Amino acid sequence: MILGIDTSLGTAVAVVDRDGVVRADESRTDPLGHAEAIGGMLHDALAQAALGPLGATSPEPIALTAVAAGMGPGPFTGLRVGIAAARAFALGRGIPVVPVASHDAAALAILLADPFADLPRFAVVTDARRRELAFTVYEGVDDDGLPARITEPALAPRDDLDARLAEAGAQRRDVDAISGAMVALVAARALAAGRELASTEPLYLRAPDVTVPGARKKVGT
Amino acid sequence: MVLMGRAEPLVLGIETSCDETGIGIVRGRTLLSNTIASSMDEHARYGGVVPEVAARAHLEALQPAIEAAVAEAGITLADLDAVAVTSGPGLAGALMVGIGAAKALAVSLDKPLYAVNHLVGHIAADILTGEEVQYPTVALLVSGGHTSLLLVRDLVSDVELLGETMDDAAGEAFDKIARILGLPYPGGPEIDRAAATGDPAAIRFPRGMSRASDMAEHRYDFSFSGLKTAVARWIEQREAAGEPVPVGDVAASFREAVVDVLVTKALDACARHDVPRLLLGGGVIANRRLREVALERAAAAGVAVRIPPLSLCTDNGAMIAALAAELIMSGRAPSTLAFGADSTLPVTEIQVAAA
Ligand SMILES: [Zn+2]
């Protein structure tokens, strides 16, 4: 059973069992308040998952085997809360963290929404603040049931994105929420296939905003 | 809750309010681990702590720091009675990393969580020295992030803010003056080194917030921005006159102005509140001149000074764990899971979101 956590946009926590059955799926779309929300949502998701699958008549203990962490891209301050939580939770249980590119989870959600449609190439597009958007281009699923990435996550100025996507021949799919269940499901499929899909580093895609102090300013007399 | 009032709770504390990722483990008043990972080197070329750089460093340092602390303490995470975390004051983005981790760790282990005040944590550090601590005490906390004068009547229930800096923290002033003098970051040790060859009485720099007119409303407040401007102006005038800048004298005289105002106000607070005890905390306590002057003038005033070892004075997780352990031993209920980072948390809020 896998715990999925993502705070790249809103806050999402979910528990998905080995067969891909969603046992708990908590989400808040608020683009702020990740630090406030994460604890209660983890608590509630575990309680919900312990009730068993839909229709179960008695609670059953849940045995988590991994924590899937959405690694972004997303606004940094919020993104870090989920990654920190995923790592600490995993440490507490002595289980591994599986890093997942948040756009992979969004792409899987889009692909699973209509599994029989022959979806053309598309781009998951999310807000990156400062008049920029983050995007990743996908086309269908691969043999492991994972969204097939055509490009790696990248940033584009808001006004340039459509031209970039036209060039890549990808349909634009704006996403404003990442599902914790899909993050967990991507991790489950990656684990089953023995693949590592994302680095353990957060997908910041931007260097920290700093200014190196210049020459001393005159204060005058 | 079974935990409340427990004799010697085993607590892990997480501190990420500035540039040190601190993980501490205490059993009651006994220190088991004080693990610190600092991102100071990464800030050096910017001349000060860069919040985004600090927050990124916290995220990378947290897991290894927890693992190292647990190993050093010779415990397992499952042995813990509680998890504690700094919820403020401090850099919001940095605090949030610790809060996210602390909440998840508490839920993961199914243990209570205590969200506590960073400044009161500095006072609690004193408890870990193993010596008998007496209250009330005046506490002077000086670091790159804060300059606060507190009256502590009871660690877990009664901490009063007497005064604080109105602009720069004392440590920040050291960094800025170091930069003006062309010395590297962090400024404290550099100013100290330069001051060793200088005369502290060479230049009379202003003592901020110390005029008679300041005494009514700002008796215990500090201001270091005027001092910084005065130093910069003094140097500019020398340069304009084509004279060499006596770096040693400037450093020593600047340091003397800072130390003088800190110690004067702290001892004034002791006298006015009839408290013969002064606790020093915060990273700037590493400054030898500050310790010297404080000890000398306190002795003359009949005030006993306590200075915890430097590893407990700089920001650390042990002080956060120690404060939570005191809260537990005095029967306080844990915090709920709903709190967030509060970058301006007042010192009177010793524990946040108590159930
Ligand atoms: Zn501090």
Side-chain angles (χ1 to χ4, degrees), chain B residues 179-200:
Chain B
R179 202 153 83 208
I180 290 172
L181 290 173
L183 303 171
Y185 173 87
E190 297 293 334
I191 295 273
D192 256 5
R193 206 164 298 140
T197 60
D199 173 6

Side-chain angles (χ1 to χ4, degrees), chain A residues 35-40 42-43 46 76-78 80-81 83-93 97 200-202 204 206-213 216-221, chain B residues 45-47 50 52-53 55-56 59-60 62-63 66-67 77 92-93 96-105 107-109 179-180 229 232-233 235-237 239 337-341:
Chain A
E36 286 85 345
I38 193 78
L42 280 167
H43 180 269
L46 294 184
F76 316 148
T77 306
R80 276 189 289 265
V81 171
I83 298 172
R87 290 176 180 171
F89 191 100
L91 204 54
R93 295 285 173 105
V97 174
T200 56
E201 298 286 310
Y204 289 123
R206 214 184 253 149
D209 208 15
V210 289
T211 46
V212 180
R216 203 172 96 208
K217 280 196 291 277
K218 282 264 175 208
V219 294
T221 45
Chain B
R45 67 197 179 103
Y46 308 114
V50 180
E52 176 63 23
V53 171
R56 288 185 182 194
L59 181 60
E60 294 323 306
L62 258 178
Q63 188 178 333
I66 294 174
E67 286 168 331
L77 287 170
M96 283 181 210
V97 176
I99 291 171
K103 287 182 176 179
L105 187 60
V107 173
S108 172
L109 298 168
R179 202 153 83 208
I180 290 172
T229 309
R233 186 171 295 152
I235 293 172
E236 276 172 23
Q237 283 167 347
E239 286 171 342
L337 288 171
F339 65 92

Side-chain angles (χ1 to χ4, degrees), chain B residues 277-336:
Chain B
R277 281 174 291 273
L278 174 63
L279 169 66
L280 302 183
V284 173
I285 300 307
N287 190 292
R288 205 159 51 110
R289 183 68 188 150
L290 174 57
R291 292 201 308 266
E292 263 170 28
V293 172
L295 288 169
E296 203 178 282
R297 283 163 55 178
V303 170
V305 178
R306 295 184 60 86
I307 309 176
L310 189 60
S311 59
L312 289 170
C313 279
T314 50
D315 290 348
N316 66 84
M319 68 189 198
I320 300 307
L323 176 53
E326 292 298 309
L327 288 164
I328 292 165
M329 291 188 284
S330 66
R332 297 304 178 79
S335 303
T336 66

